[in-house]
Amino acid sequence: MPSPRPPQNPQSKQARENKQNGKQRDAFFDNAKYLAIVLVAMGHAWEPLKHDSRVVEALYTVVYAFHMPAFIIISGYFSRSFDLRPDRLKRLITGVVVPYVVFETAYSLFKRVIDHDPGQQISLLDPWYLTWFLCALFIWRMTTPIWKLVRWPLPIALGIAMLATVSPEIGDDLDLQRVLQFLPFFVLGLSLKPEHFQLVRRRAVRIAAVPVFAAALVVGWWSVPRMAAGWFYHRDAAQELGAPWWAGPVMVLALFGCSLVLTACFFAWVPGRHLWFTALGAGTLYGYLLHGFFVKAGDYRGWFDHAWLHQPLGEIFVTVVAAAGVTLLCTKPVQQVFRFAMEPKMEWAFKRDATQAARERQKAGRREPEKVSA
């Protein structure tokens, strides 16, 4: 007879089940992804308000300096094991390519209807609004084996980003400027190890992060009338921003260093324990892709034109609504509704992978003796 077992709390039981199924998640990264997506939504909600408030624009500048770099570094970190194995290519197609096609089409049709713009074209070669990240993630992941092969991946990625900023002829196809200029953050994520994240989560770093962020806010406030916000979007060459060509490489290095420091401070403040929002970290792609419809609807319909929203209390209200809205969009019910578009199975579209089938048979064979002995 089996020996009696002590009572088990549901959380530990769920953790063991996740571990057995290969789904063990690190609370730190789920917390970081959730907090980063909240900052993304807040930044987009501030955009219609920032021109009337230097404080909001300073906050906007600081947030834009690190929120996408943090997200991209995490994406790179979790792409370290990516190779061209059929099952991983399948997940790349169903989890990145299909959502890109669906939401690129959906956003274009949305603009036609809500903004009364029948001339809005549907072009899969010219990502619109939020969908550039999916396009970039596909390209970055497909090049992962190359970055794992070369001797100096980060310096090479920085060199490519610097060359991109002096090449306005790259154009808008596939938003390649953003793909190339944000590339160093993804490559950095590929190069990181768990101990690197432990370094920035030390108490000394958390304390140092306070004056660093305070200084960043002061610099952000100072830079509002002196620096074009377009540098933080990484979607234009230097010449397109009205700067001399040599400013592009200089800004790549300067912003990379600035973003890295602020991202490290952000990671230092991210809690590592399970909290009420930890589970929402698994649904950040849903929040990312869906919140844009509400922000754009508000922009097209004039919701942000109310004068009281441009006052301090109104700006706080918009910030809270943006944070609460994207939180709801990351929840399980929303994931269940939109899973068909973001995580479709699509077994019908792929050939049966012989290697994967053999692996499943091997696992089933190992489980069978366990059932018999039980």
Side-chain angles (χ1 to χ4, degrees), residues 21-34:
N21 295 331
K23 298 179 181 177
Q24 181 70 7
R25 303 183 67 93
D26 189 326
F28 167 77
F29 290 107
D30 278 334
N31 292 339
K33 289 195 295 181
Y34 167 75

Side-chain angles (χ1 to χ4, degrees), residues 157-183:
L158 280 169
I160 292 173
M162 292 165 70
L163 288 173
T165 61
V166 299
S167 307
E169 61 274 9
I170 287 177
D172 297 327
D173 288 350
L174 300 180
D175 225 340
L176 282 178
Q177 279 288 355
R178 271 178 167 163
V179 173
L180 298 178
Q181 291 190 39
F182 275 116
L183 174 64

